[in-house]
Amino acid sequence: MVSGASDANTPPIVSLVAGGVAGGIEAFTSYPLEFAKTRVQLRNQKGIPTPKNPFFVVTQVYQKEGLRALYKGCSALVVGSVGKDGVRFLFFDQIKHAFADPETGTLSPLRNLAAGMTAGVVASITAVTPSERIKTALIDDARNERRFRSSLHATTTIWKEHGISGLYRGFVGTTLKQASATAFRMGTYNILKDYEKKRDIQQNTLVNFANGSVAGTVTTLATQPFDVIKTRSQSATGASTVEAVKSVLLDYGIRGFWKGTTMRLGRTVFSGGILFTSYEAAVKVILPLYEGTKRKVGVETA
């Protein structure tokens, strides 16, 4: 089960709030690595080697542009992650409960992946694509034109120039990435927890972090091409999915679709651990409050 704090049915509101809290914490703490990965994936000059060490890129940007530059576009990602992970955990928990074996309370590996994929599609439509578009546009814009003053300014500018379609630039690539990433991330984590549950392995912060890190590694290696296409589509100028694919092939060939893998891996191993550990901790705090409020309301209305 995703929710170690409540291996029975997790109430939808608890899944939503705990997922949102976990998403916000994960996005903020790991943002400098996300910033470095995005910069590497955006078009660079040919003949100039691309750094693979995310800490090298972070250090360079910090020295040349300051700390604020490393968090350019962070607010958009945090807001998007609160919505994205709230929705992902909400739908994953509900889908998981609907398809779980009534006797064991577990899912088969394929059903785990299918539940995650469905949750990823919903998250992409409701929260991820617009927030990723703004974040990527801000990071790209900071390299050259610097016409966007903030996340809000970038949002209003893109809306005025391109309408809602501008905010959903890269929707196909983002949805493919989210569907596959959520399937692998949530599915792998849940598979590991079910395996541990069958063998009575005690769930604690260290185990949750390790499970999340493994899930992050699997997710990165399996979905990197979608992430590269999404980043190219959502640059400051924007591009269609087909144009993004062509630009990657022209710049780097097939290997270009795994551009930034090392950097993304560094982030997802860390962020996967943070995300699921934060979620488990949030559920442990929120669930008793929810149940206490529910009992109080029941007493007052009785």
Side-chain angles (χ1 to χ4, degrees):
M1 310 288 280
V2 167
S3 172
S6 56
D7 284 343
N9 290 340
T10 305
I13 187 64
V14 175
S15 296
L16 180 66
V17 176
V21 170
I25 292 172
E26 178 268 330
F28 183 80
T29 55
S30 64
Y31 189 77
L33 294 174
E34 171 68 15
F35 177 94
K37 182 269 301 181
T38 303
R39 276 232 173 156
V40 167
Q41 288 178 339
L42 291 164
R43 191 189 302 271
N44 289 314
Q45 294 179 347
K46 289 187 177 182
I48 299 177
T50 302
K52 294 183 179 180
N53 186 334
F55 299 102
F56 176 74
V57 176
V58 169
T59 300
Q60 272 197 325
V61 173
Y62 174 74
Q63 290 175 342
K64 293 180 180 179
E65 303 173 47
L67 182 62
R68 290 184 64 182
L70 287 174
Y71 277 87
K72 189 80 171 179
C74 180
S75 59
L77 184 66
V78 170
V79 171
S81 293
V82 169
K84 170 189 72 176
D85 287 304
V87 169
R88 283 203 302 192
F89 277 102
L90 168 64
F91 277 87
F92 184 77
D93 277 348
Q94 300 313 306
I95 294 167
K96 178 187 65 181
H97 294 321
F99 289 98
D101 185 297
E103 294 183 2
T104 64
T106 60
L107 290 173
S108 67
L110 284 178
R111 287 189 176 186
N112 269 313
L113 294 175
M117 186 175 294
T118 304
V121 171
V122 175
S124 178
I125 295 170
T126 57
V128 180
T129 300
S131 64
E132 284 285 330
R133 165 66 163 134
I134 298 304
K135 178 214 73 177
T136 306
L138 280 165
I139 292 174
D140 190 28
D141 178 72
R143 298 189 309 161
N144 301 304
E145 296 183 37
R146 302 190 180 187
R147 65 184 185 127
F148 297 144
R149 296 190 297 271
S150 64
S151 297
L152 180 60
H153 181 245
T155 302
T156 54
T157 302
I158 292 172
W159 178 277
K160 289 176 182 177
E161 294 178 354
H162 305 288
I164 192 169
S165 63
L167 295 176
Y168 275 84
R169 183 84 71 179
F171 173 72
V172 174
T174 303
T175 302
L176 286 172
K177 179 205 166 186
Q178 282 301 312
S180 56
T182 307
F184 283 107
R185 175 174 273 198
M186 308 289 265
T188 300
Y189 184 83
N190 207 50
I191 290 167
L192 289 171
K193 289 207 70 175
D194 285 343
Y195 176 85
E196 292 159 357
K197 182 180 176 182
K198 289 177 182 177
R199 285 154 183 79
D200 295 322
I201 296 175
Q202 183 67 36
Q203 296 296 302
N204 53 46
T205 300
L206 183 61
V207 172
N208 292 335
F209 193 94
N211 289 346
S213 296
V214 171
T217 301
V218 172
T219 301
T220 299
L221 297 176
T223 65
Q224 186 64 17
F226 298 134
D227 190 64
V228 173
I229 294 169
K230 173 200 72 68
T231 298
R232 283 295 182 92
S233 297
Q234 295 180 329
S235 62
T237 54
S240 69
T241 300
V242 174
E243 290 170 342
V245 171
K246 286 181 178 178
S247 72
V248 173
L249 288 172
L250 287 172
D251 286 350
Y252 305 111
I254 293 294
R255 292 177 63 183
F257 290 108
W258 275 267
K259 204 77 172 172
T261 297
T262 304
M263 294 200 176
R264 187 172 170 228
L265 194 59
R267 176 181 181 269
T268 52
V269 168
F270 172 70
S271 67
I274 290 291
L275 177 68
F276 287 104
T277 302
S278 299
Y279 178 76
E280 302 285 6
V283 170
K284 287 179 181 178
V285 173
I286 297 169
L287 186 58
L289 295 174
Y290 169 79
E291 291 176 341
T293 302
K294 194 175 178 181
R295 283 196 297 270
K296 184 178 180 181
V297 172
V299 169
E300 290 178 350
T301 57

